[in-house]
Amino acid sequence: MVPPFNVQAIVAAVTSGQTSAVAVAREALARINEYAAVQPAVWITRLAEDAVLAAAAQVDARLAAGEVLPLAGVPFAIKDNIDLAGVPTTAACPDFAYVPNTSAQVVARLIAAGAIAMGKTNLDQFATGLNGTRSPYGAPACVFNRAYVSGGSSSGSAVAVAAGLVAFSLGTDTAGSGRVPAAFNGLVGFKPTKGRWSTSGLVPACRTLDCITVLTHSTTDARAVDAAVAGFDAADPYSRSGEDRPLVATRIGVPMPGQRLFLGDAAAERLYEQALIRLAADGADLIEIDMEPLREAAMLLYGGPWVAERTAAALPLLDERPEAIDPTVRAIMEDGRKVSGVDVFRGQYRLAELQRLAEAMWRDIDLLALPTAPTIYRIAEMRAAPVALNSNLGLYTNFVNLLDMAALAVPAGWRDNGTGFGITLIGPAWSDLALLDAGQAYVTAAALPPPPPLHIEDSMDTVKLAVVGAHLEGMPLHRQLTSRNARLIATTTTAPSYRLYAMANSTPPKPALIHSAEGSAIAVEVYELDVAAFGSFVVEVSAPLAIGSVTLADGTVVKGFVAEPRAIDGATDITDLGGWRAYIDTLSRPGG
């Protein structure tokens, strides 16, 4: 009998003799082979069946000889920027590939504990990305809705666990690469304190910030992996020793309301608010904090001198065969060439100042509870805007390693489209075990539902539409949206680069939104429509109005009402009112 595919169940069954490591390995091989027809991009290298079964047989023999193996028979996956002896390491770049003679220290410790490696998983090339689409080996997709990104860069590692192919997987996390895919796929993503786990045998992304991480189904499983691999490694110059920092998670920091950004994702906003309600109901005191120092630190990763570390990681290939590197990744690495020594020291000085602010923050709170990612995107959307949308995914993750914090991503619910939403508990360095305790308490209290049935979308089949006037809720033309089952997903404003006019002789009254360098933010409602419904809606839009692209306050670009220049002939400039509702209100006043 094969037990459920989680660490504790497998170890209990194998060590008690209810099953064998070989039987578990056979089941894992069967699952991997079957799922390859569904998502072939999960793996870069799958280990041969005879090698896997031989490793499992050795585990059974060691148990029979009386060894205590805390991970006996547990199948696991390895992100392909982490070395496994005798197996190519590609970092998702074929021209970079090499075959290591020894395994990464973390991998060696897992195998010594009885875990069984099943292969090397796909990733955003050179671990540069949070979305999972930047690989020549294909783009792993969210397990529960394959139109959406899996998250990255630990994309294949997340899918392998969420699909039930292995019990846990190794990822890496420099800017959120282990936490974001955990959230999208309903997993736990544990990012230890820098240096707690050895990075020997890891292809660097940013050498001073990199962490090897684990993706699991539970905090209990994450704790078991941490127990097997944590510890000082003299071969790793960035390895550290530290005492576990206890904390009682009663004071939880959350962003001030104006800093809770979800980029138009109403479902994510709702799920985050529900998570905060659960934390408060469990006895936590929610304390609002200013996120700006954390976000400034985050900007240093890609907008500051640390981008040069990514250049250093692949410099010989970048110099000799730049065409071998994914274009988006290559552009990021090329930016690192522009960083000067002066830039590096100035960045370090500012980071030291921000670290002091972060240290002061821990006097007022025990940990942070943030959204893991503000939203999720379809693969088609990500490929259309790979830099801007990827940056959005790191809104709540990029600062953590720069400010020397530990983090634990835990599930916090499901969107109606089947994709996962998560929160991340963040604490100071060496609070790892306390975070695992807090995460377990949250998951237990939340009692979240199981993953939803698989949603399958073969294309980008909905469109986001910003309306500014007569189509607003309660206005005369709103029926054109409700009749098409349009779904309100955000009430927000445009970027501060528009002017609004009340058109002359328009029935019913309608505004004209005009892009202007001397503009303001204008109130809008954002709806989501099916593509077919959107098409039929556009047919009803009459000149001088049209449907174009509108930039929202958070930088997101959606479809929306725009106007031809003739629309403002005889029109009244109502920009200073901030929106159409305010203008309509003036008409109802005496003398209006």
Side-chain angles (χ1 to χ4, degrees):
M1 180 184 72
V2 175
F5 257 37
N6 63 69
V7 172
Q8 298 304 303
I10 291 171
V11 171
V14 171
T15 56
S16 68
Q18 292 179 342
T19 190
S20 67
V22 169
V24 174
R26 288 190 187 279
E27 175 65 18
L29 288 165
R31 294 185 184 195
I32 291 169
N33 289 336
E34 181 179 5
Y35 199 73
V38 178
Q39 289 216 56
V42 173
W43 303 88
I44 291 178
T45 302
R46 292 159 54 185
L47 297 188
E49 180 175 334
D50 57 353
V52 170
L53 295 179
Q58 287 182 357
V59 169
D60 287 331
R62 291 168 65 191
L63 287 172
E67 281 194 58
V68 176
L69 302 178
L71 298 177
V74 180
F76 75 105
I78 303 167
K79 185 175 180 179
D80 197 21
N81 60 342
I82 303 169
D83 287 347
L84 174 62
V87 178
T89 298
T90 71
C93 182
D95 285 357
F96 177 82
Y98 63 91
V99 178
N101 293 321
T102 59
S103 294
Q105 179 67 245
V106 165
V107 172
R109 289 178 178 179
L110 290 170
I111 292 172
I116 301 170
M118 303 303 296
K120 309 291 289 295
T121 50
N122 203 353
L123 66 150
D124 282 314
Q125 192 175 81
F126 292 110
T128 301
L130 292 173
N131 61 85
T133 68
R134 300 172 177 175
S135 171
Y137 298 97
C142 176
V143 168
F144 304 105
N145 188 331
R146 295 196 291 272
Y148 286 81
V149 298
S150 60
S153 59
S154 306
S155 52
S157 289
V159 172
V161 177
L165 312 184
V166 294
F168 72 88
S169 62
L170 294 180
T172 63
D173 192 318
T174 301
S177 290
R179 291 164 278 160
V180 170
F184 293 169
N185 292 280
L187 300 173
V188 168
F190 174 51
K191 188 214 76 66
T193 297
K194 286 187 301 181
R196 179 182 179 88
W197 292 13
S198 171
T199 54
S200 293
L202 170 66
V203 176
C206 290
R207 185 71 183 89
T208 61
L209 302 177
D210 292 336
C211 293
I212 294 178
T213 70
V214 68
L215 296 102
T216 68
H217 287 292
S218 71
T219 58
T220 303
D221 285 359
R223 186 185 295 271
V225 173
D226 177 72
V229 303
F232 181 75
D233 175 15
D236 174 10
Y238 289 96
S239 183
R240 298 192 290 173
S241 295
E243 293 186 5
D244 290 317
R245 178 171 177 168
L247 58 85
V248 179
T250 55
R251 302 172 303 161
I252 297 182
V254 299
M256 294 186 293
Q259 296 177 340
R260 299 176 190 179
L261 304 180
F262 296 94
L263 310 182
D265 189 334
E269 184 173 10
R270 171 177 53 83
L271 290 167
Y272 181 62
E273 292 302 322
Q274 290 176 356
L276 296 188
I277 291 170
R278 292 188 190 104
L279 288 167
D282 203 34
D285 183 15
L286 304 184
I287 299 172
E288 294 178 358
I289 64 157
D290 182 7
M291 290 287 294
E292 285 310 309
L294 305 182
R295 289 187 177 150
E296 184 181 345
M299 291 297 295
L300 292 172
L301 191 60
Y302 283 103
W306 276 266
V307 71
E309 279 205 280
R310 295 192 183 271
T311 310
L315 187 58
L317 186 65
L318 187 64
D319 284 339
E320 297 167 12
R321 298 192 302 282
E323 71 284 352
I325 302 175
D326 174 90
T328 303
V329 175
R330 183 172 69 242
I332 293 168
M333 291 180 171
E334 289 289 358
D335 282 345
R337 295 184 188 272
K338 305 171 187 175
V339 176
S340 70
V342 172
D343 295 331
V344 171
F345 282 106
R346 284 177 173 169
Q348 290 179 348
Y349 300 154
R350 182 54 183 156
L351 180 60
E353 294 169 349
L354 294 170
Q355 285 172 330
R356 284 287 182 264
L357 295 177
E359 290 166 5
M361 178 182 69
W362 299 126
R363 293 197 291 268
D364 300 321
I365 62 174
D366 300 312
L367 56 84
L368 290 165
L370 305 180
T372 300
T375 189
I376 188 172
Y377 298 106
R378 291 174 178 82
I379 292 173
E381 292 174 298
M382 184 60 64
R383 285 174 169 159
V387 176
L389 299 191
N390 184 84
S391 296
N392 289 345
L393 297 182
L395 185 65
Y396 297 104
T397 61
N398 286 357
F399 64 86
V400 173
N401 282 352
L402 281 162
L403 295 177
D404 198 12
M405 299 174 181
L408 178 73
V410 293
W414 304 92
R415 298 176 183 83
D416 289 342
N417 62 20
T419 61
F421 174 80
I423 63 169
T424 298
L425 306 179
I426 302 170
W430 308 108
S431 63
D432 307 73
L433 298 184
L435 286 179
L436 288 167
D437 288 339
Q440 180 60 41
Y442 170 79
V443 171
T444 300
L448 296 171
L454 175 67
H455 287 60
I456 299 178
E457 299 177 15
D458 293 325
S459 62
M460 180 180 165
D461 62 354
T462 63
V463 178
K464 293 181 177 67
L465 173 72
V467 299
V468 70
H471 290 86
L472 295 169
E473 186 175 5
M475 296 294 173
L477 298 183
H478 186 64
R479 57 179 171 75
Q480 293 182 354
L481 292 173
T482 57
S483 66
R484 293 172 169 85
N485 296 315
R487 300 167 290 280
L488 177 65
I489 61 172
T491 299
T492 183
T493 66
T494 67
S497 52
Y498 292 88
R499 300 200 71 79
L500 190 68
Y501 297 83
M503 293 194 299
N505 305 316
S506 176
T507 305
K510 301 184 195 72
L513 186 70
I514 304 291
H515 191 274
S516 172
E518 299 178 354
S520 295
I522 305 298
V524 296
E525 292 174 353
V526 182
Y527 290 82
E528 190 172 53
L529 300 84
D530 294 337
V531 168
F534 174 75
S536 67
F537 177 87
V538 171
V539 170
E540 296 185 8
V541 178
S542 301
L545 299 181
I547 299 296
S549 295
V550 173
T551 303
L552 303 180
D554 59 20
T556 303
V557 178
V558 299
K559 295 302 177 186
F561 278 88
V562 295
E564 301 174 14
R566 60 183 168 129
I568 63 174
D569 291 343
T572 302
D573 189 335
I574 60 171
T575 305
D576 290 345
L577 295 176
W580 186 245
R581 290 188 192 281
Y583 169 71
I584 294 298
D585 287 344
T586 67
L587 299 181
S588 63
R589 298 172 191 161

